[in-house]
Every structure is written in structure tokens, then in C-alpha cells.
Amino acid sequence: MDAVAHEDVSGANTTGAGPILVGFRHSFWSVDSSTSRPGLGLEAHVQLPVGSSAFNGQRAQPSAQLNFEHQLPRSFTFVWVVGAGLPVDADDESFGQGFFDWALVYEPSADVALTVSGQVEYPATSLENKAMVLNGVGLTWILRERVAFTSFFAAGATSESPDFHGEAGFTLSF
């Protein structure tokens, strides 16, 4: 859940409550450093039509993804994700979209993770066959066993991308 989200698109600023995601994750297997086998998981979620209207449509938006995790030396991890979803456009119509995310994660302690990451969504809208690309930095701070504070701040790399995107919120696990 993004408690607060902010986006600058062509000089128009939008700030509000981010959407709530409900879903699950299943880990098929964990990272095996001795064989260099990456960890593999499946994640599926639904973005609920709540929060500020600028950050979601009026209908639920499902998506599913495969998560790959590679353990690197010195507390670094490389994570990449491929997936597909049904986002809602400005006319409240669903359209098919694929995405690819990557992150280089550094964990200076068991409770803190710093990331440099990027994400690509294609198509960016139902009307154009162009990609939305964001590159940014993030912080995850584990507050308790099942509660974490998350943040992400990014700049757009294409004309379909927001100039700036920032979010901060909480992740709850059950």
C-alpha cells in the first residue's frame, strides 16, 4: 500500500493516496549460491479501486509475475521480474500490458535494503504502442517481522513516463 504517492507529468503535479494491492507470493525455490541457481517465485495481486483517482481506475486491476533473485557477493542481490497485467486507462477500459522490472539491492543490515532499479511497461497506454520507463532508487526498512516501510523515487526516461514518480508506504505480510 502506497500511503502517499506523488507524480509530475508534463508540469502537472499529482499527490494523493496510492492504491492498495492484495495478493500472494509462492516461492518455488530459494537462491542456491553453491550452484548459482537463482531463486524463483510467482506473485499475483489485484490493485483495488481505492485511493486517489489519479493513481487507479474505477475497477480492479489484476497482474501476475515471475520473480528471479540472484545472490551476489558483499550483501548485493540482483532481482528481475517479468509479468503481465490488465491496467485501466483514462477511459476506465482494461488493456493488456507486459512489464519488466530489475533492481540491484544492497543490504547493509538485516533490516535495511537500498535499491537502484528500473521498470518498463509496454504498452504504456491503450492508445499508443510506446513504453513507459522509470529509473530510480528505493529504501525498504523492516520495522517488524511482517511490517516494512517502503519508498521509491524515480525519473522517467521516455515521453510516456512521468517526469518524476515518488511513493512511500507500508508492506504487510500475513
Side-chain angles (χ1 to χ4, degrees), residues 17-168:
I20 293 175
L21 303 177
V22 177
F24 74 92
R25 179 183 170 133
H26 175 72
S27 180
F28 293 110
W29 59 78
S30 297
V31 173
D32 185 347
S33 300
S34 66
T35 63
S36 299
R37 182 183 72 186
L40 174 63
L42 170 68
E43 188 174 327
H45 64 262
V46 175
Q47 178 176 305
L48 301 177
V50 297
S52 299
S53 61
F55 298 113
N56 64 59
Q58 298 304 307
R59 293 189 291 144
Q61 301 176 47
S63 67
Q65 61 195 36
L66 289 173
N67 303 318
F68 298 87
E69 180 179 340
H70 302 267
Q71 191 65 47
L72 302 174
R74 301 184 189 250
S75 301
F76 283 92
T77 305
F78 182 71
V79 179
W80 57 283
V81 174
V82 293
L86 291 172
V88 176
D89 65 14
D91 296 325
D92 204 32
E93 295 295 324
S94 294
F95 65 98
Q97 181 182 70
F99 55 87
F100 173 78
D101 297 353
W102 64 268
L104 180 61
V105 182
Y106 173 65
E107 295 182 39
S109 73
D111 296 338
V112 176
L114 306 169
T115 61
V116 175
S117 62
Q119 64 187 72
V120 177
E121 295 176 358
Y122 181 84
T125 70
S126 63
L127 304 175
E128 297 182 282
N129 286 328
K130 297 180 180 179
M132 188 283 305
V133 179
L134 287 175
N135 294 301
V137 296
L139 165 75
T140 300
W141 178 19
I142 299 171
L143 303 171
R144 297 196 183 255
E145 182 180 350
R146 299 190 176 271
V147 180
F149 168 79
T150 60
S151 62
F152 178 63
F153 303 96
T158 64
S159 60
E160 290 70 40
S161 307
D163 298 330
F164 170 79
H165 176 86
E167 56 191 53

